[in-house]
Amino acid sequence: MKLKKISLLLLIFYFPLATNAQSDYDLWLQYEEIQDAGLSQSYLNLLTGIKVIGNSPTLDASRHEISNAYTSFFDEELKNANSGDGLLILANIDQLPSDLSNSVKSDLGKINSEGYIIRSLSNNGNKITLITGKTDVGVLYGSFRLIKEMQLHNDISNLAIIDSPKIQKRVLNHWDNLDRTVERGYAGFSLWDWHLLPELIKPEYTDYARANASIGINGTVLTNVNANSLILTEQYIEKVKALAEVFRPYGIQVYLTARFSAPLESGDVDTADPLNAEVKQWWKDKADEIYAEIPDFGGFLVKANSEGQPGPNNYDRTHVDGANMLAEAVAPHDGIIMWRAFVYSEHDPEDRAKQAYSEFVPFDGQFKDNVLVQVKNGPIDFQPREPFHPMFGAMPNTPLMMEFQITQEYLGFASHLVYLPKLFEETLEEDTYVNGENSTVAKVIDGSLSNKKLTGIAGVANIGTAKNWTGHPFGQSSWYGFGRLAWDPYMSSEEIAEEWLKMTFTNEDEFVEPVTDLMIKSREAVVKYMTPLGLHHIMDTGHHYGPGPWVSNLSRPEWNPVYYHKADTDGIGFDRTTSGSDALSQYADPIAERYNSPETTPEKYLLWFHHLPWDYQMKNGETLWHNLAITYQEGVEDVEEMVETWKNMEEYVDQERYEKVSMFLQIQLKEAKWWRDACLTYFQEFSNMEIPETVPQPEHDLKYYKSLEFPFAPGIRPSWE
Ligand code: BDP
C-alpha cells in the first residue's frame, strides 16, 4: 500500500518534470529538442559533421557548446569530419585554407577583432557552413550565434551573417563582498566562494562564463565598488587567478575594485596620496604582481570620494590625479581604469543632480588614454525613471562608460517583474545634442560621435547563488538584454525580449506575443506605481524597500525623500529650472530651453524639473493631483493585467516556473497597491484634495504606512544607512 502511494507520487511529480526539459538554471541556453520534424531534418542535412581548425581552449569551448546543443536539439551526436556535404567548419581566419579565407575576404574589413562571419558556402561541390573571425573569441561568439539561429527556428541554409560588438568593454559589475554577501543583491549569496578558492572550482563558474559569452559580455568586476583592500593581497590574488582561468577561454577578463587607501591599509606606506612617489610605486608593484599571475587582467574599477569611500580628495588631489596615477600603473600591461563619476557630497548645498557634472566636466580631456569615466544612466541614482545624465552631453574629450543597474535596488527587488532593457533603451536613445541633433547617448557610449578609441558599458549584476541565478525567472531577461545592448546599443528592447522568450521558454507565438507585450509594459508599470510623473527617490531608507516619501530624518539632507519631492501645501516637485537649482543648464540648449517650462516638458519628467501647484492643469485638462492619483492607479491596473496575461500561459511553461512567476506577480500586485496607497495618503496631507473616484481609497492611514519596518530586508549592508 505504502509503496503504491509512493510510486503514484513519483508518477505525478516525476513525469511532468521529465517530459519538460525547461530548467531555470540553464537560462536562455535551454537547447530544447526541436519537435518540428521537418525543421529538425533540414538542420540535420545542413550540419552533418564538424571540423575545428586550430587548437585552443576557446575553440574547444566552441566545439563543446555546438556539440552539446546539437545533441539536445536532435538527440544525435555531431561527428567529427573532414569534408563532405553539411560540414561545419570553425576556424580563426589565420588558420583557414586559402580557398575558404578568400571566400570571406571581402567581409573581413567589416568585423572588428571580436566579430564573426557565418557563411553558407559551396566548397568542392559540397554545401558547407563556415564560422570564422579574426580571433578565436570571434569564432566562439559566432558559434553561439549559429546555435541561437536554431533556437529561434530560423532558416540556416543560406547564412551570410556578419556581426561585431559596437562597444569594447562589456562588463558586469558584481557588488559582491568577500564574506559573500551581495550589496543590493536579491538572488542569494555571491557566486564567488572565496573561502574555498582556488581549490574548489564550481561548475557554476563555467556556466556563468558560457552564459556571458553567449551574449558577448567580455569582462567581470568581481568585487563591490565599496571595496575591501584584502582582495589585493597575495592570498586573494591566487583566488582571482583561479576564476580568471575558468573565464579566459570564454573571452572574459576579470577586473577588481581598488580601494584607494589600499597602500595605506597594507601598512607598506603611510599615505595614499596619489602624487606621492611611494604610493605610485606601490600601485605599480601591485599591478605587476597581479599581471604576473593574470596576464589578461582587465584593470580596476574605482569608487573614490563617494559615500564615504576614500579617494584623492582626502589629500587635496583631484579625480584626475587619482585616476591617472592608477592608469599609469596598469598601462604597461594594457589594463584600464574605470573611474566612477557617482559623487555627491553632504557638505555641498548644491542640487545633488548637479554635483557629478560640476566636479567632472572641468576635467574633460585630462584623463589618460586608458581611463574610462563610468557614469550612471541618470544624475541621481538608478531610479525607475531618470532623464539621461547630463555628463553624457558634456565631455566630448573623455571616454564615458555607461553604468546601468541590472539588480532591482529601486524597482521592487527580485520580486517585481520589470524588464529593464526597456529602461536601458530609453536612455540610449535620448538625444544629448552635444554635436547637434541626433547625438544620442548610444553614440556617445559607442564612441562613434567623437571617434573614441576606448569604449565601455557596465551593468550592476543581479546574479547570485539562487538556483536560477537571478531569483525571479524574468530577472534573467534583464541580464540577457543588458548583454545584447552592450553588444549593440541600437537594438530594440522588444526584439531582445522576443528572442529571450523563445530561447528561454518556447517559440509558440501564442506565448511569445503576449508575454513580449507584458515585458515591454512592465517597465512603465513600475514607474507608474512607484514614481509617476518624474517623482524620484521616495523609497524607504537604507534597504530601499517600499515607499518612504515621508522620510526626513537622515543625517545627510540628500538621502531624504523629502529633499526630492519637496511636497508642501503649494505643490510638489523639484524646481530644476532657471528659477530653481538650474540643473537644466547642464543640458544642451534644445533640452534646457524646452524643459524650462512645464508646458513643454515631457510629462514623464514633469516633477523632476518643476515644482507645480496641486491644481496645475495637465494636458488632459485634469489637475496634477488628479493625474498623480490616476497614474498610481494605472500602475496597479497594469500589474493586474500582467497577472491575467500570465494566467493564460500555463500550458507553455513548466509548472515550476509558471507557479513561481504567478506567486511573484501576486507580491508585485500587493506592493504596487502599497506604493499607491502609502504615497497618495502622504501627499494628500499637502494637496488636501480628494482621491478621485476611480482610485480605491487607501486601506490604512498614514500612521500605519509610516510604522512599517523591515529590519531584515535583503541586500542591505549592516553599516549602510
Ligand atoms: C547606491 C546604492 C549603494 C551603492 C551606490 C553606488 O544604494 O549601495 O554603493 O549606489 O553605486 O544606489 O556606489
Side-chain angles (χ1 to χ4, degrees), residues 24 415 466-468 471-473 646 654-667:
D24 256 5
S415 33
K467 214 175 91 196
N468 69 355
H472 198 305
W646 189 251
D654 53 299
Q655 203 61 18
E656 192 183 326
R657 282 191 293 182
Y658 174 75
E659 273 166 14
K660 201 182 270 178
V661 173
S662 303
M663 290 187 275
F664 274 133
L665 282 170
Q666 288 304 329
I667 298 176

Side-chain angles (χ1 to χ4, degrees), residues 571-584:
I572 181 171
F574 200 126
D575 184 358
R576 296 195 162 104
T577 68
T578 38
S579 58
S581 80
D582 201 21
L584 262 176

Side-chain angles (χ1 to χ4, degrees), residues 482-514:
F482 166 75
R484 299 292 287 130
L485 286 167
W487 181 277
D488 179 359
Y490 304 95
M491 272 196 85
S492 97
S493 62
E494 191 167 335
E495 190 185 336
I496 296 171
E498 270 173 24
E499 61 181 38
W500 177 78
L501 283 169
K502 289 181 182 172
M503 294 160 81
T504 309
F505 291 100
T506 168
N507 281 271
E508 308 248 14
D509 287 346
E510 293 78 4
F511 173 81
V512 176
E513 278 172 26

Side-chain angles (χ1 to χ4, degrees), residues 262-479:
L264 188 64
E265 286 170 28
S266 72
D268 300 337
V269 198
D270 59 9
T271 172
D273 179 350
L275 299 191
N276 176 290
E278 280 177 71
V279 170
K280 287 185 186 183
Q281 194 56 47
W282 190 92
W283 281 109
K284 281 193 176 139
D285 293 346
K286 188 49 72 184
D288 292 348
E289 184 189 340
I290 296 174
Y291 279 95
E293 299 300 323
I294 312 165
D296 58 348
F297 179 68
F300 296 120
L301 168 64
V302 190
K303 172 176 178 177
N305 295 117
S306 162
E307 300 182 326
Q309 293 300 306
N313 297 169
N314 300 29
Y315 304 93
D316 285 329
R317 310 297 186 200
T318 67
H319 285 283
V320 173
D321 294 331
N324 286 353
M325 180 274 293
L326 287 173
E328 265 177 43
V330 295
H333 310 281
D334 286 335
I336 62 163
I337 299 300
M338 297 167 288
W339 191 269
R340 293 177 95 223
F342 179 65
V343 296
Y344 61 101
S345 158
E346 74 261 49
H347 306 297
D348 190 346
E350 189 60 279
D351 173 3
R352 173 173 164 190
K354 291 179 75 176
Q355 293 186 25
Y357 178 112
S358 309
E359 195 156 342
F360 276 84
V361 171
F363 297 133
D364 188 25
Q366 294 182 37
F367 291 95
K368 292 216 176 277
D369 287 350
N370 58 335
V371 176
L372 277 158
V373 174
Q374 182 166 313
V375 185
K376 288 189 180 181
N377 58 292
I380 298 289
D381 198 356
F382 297 141
Q383 294 302 293
R385 168 166 280 135
E386 297 193 31
F388 72 87
H389 201 303
M391 281 177 67
F392 289 119
M395 296 188 75
N397 302 309
T398 306
L400 298 179
M401 181 163 185
M402 171 65 75
E403 179 174 327
F404 286 125
Q405 192 179 45
I406 312 172
T407 190
Q408 292 172 215
E409 175 181 358
Y410 300 98
L411 293 96
F413 297 1
S415 33
H416 291 211
L417 192 167
V418 183
Y419 175 60
L420 290 171
K422 182 74 185 152
L423 182 165
F424 305 157
E425 176 185 51
E426 179 177 272
T427 305
L428 292 165
E429 282 178 349
E430 293 248 35
D431 201 339
T432 68
Y433 294 94
V434 56
N435 282 358
E437 215 167 312
N438 206 11
S439 304
T440 60
V441 173
K443 289 186 184 174
V444 174
I445 295 309
D446 77 2
S448 58
L449 201 63
S450 40
N451 213 4
K452 290 279 159 12
K453 281 200 226 82
L454 184 60
T455 56
I457 183 165
V460 180
N462 60 347
I463 306 166
T465 47
K467 214 175 91 196
N468 69 355
W469 305 88
T470 55
H472 198 305
F474 278 73
Q476 299 175 359
S477 67
S478 294
W479 172 12

Side-chain angles (χ1 to χ4, degrees), residues 115-151:
Y116 57 83
I117 299 166
I118 309 181
R119 285 284 300 272
S120 305
L121 294 168
S122 154
N123 187 253
N124 300 327
N126 292 321
K127 197 166 168 55
I128 65 159
T129 305
L130 170 67
I131 304 179
T132 189
K134 291 177 180 168
T135 58
D136 291 357
V137 169
V139 176
L140 176 69
Y141 290 155
S143 303
F144 276 112
R145 176 62 182 268
L146 179 67
I147 295 170
K148 177 168 151 183
E149 291 300 309
M150 290 189 275
Q151 285 179 287

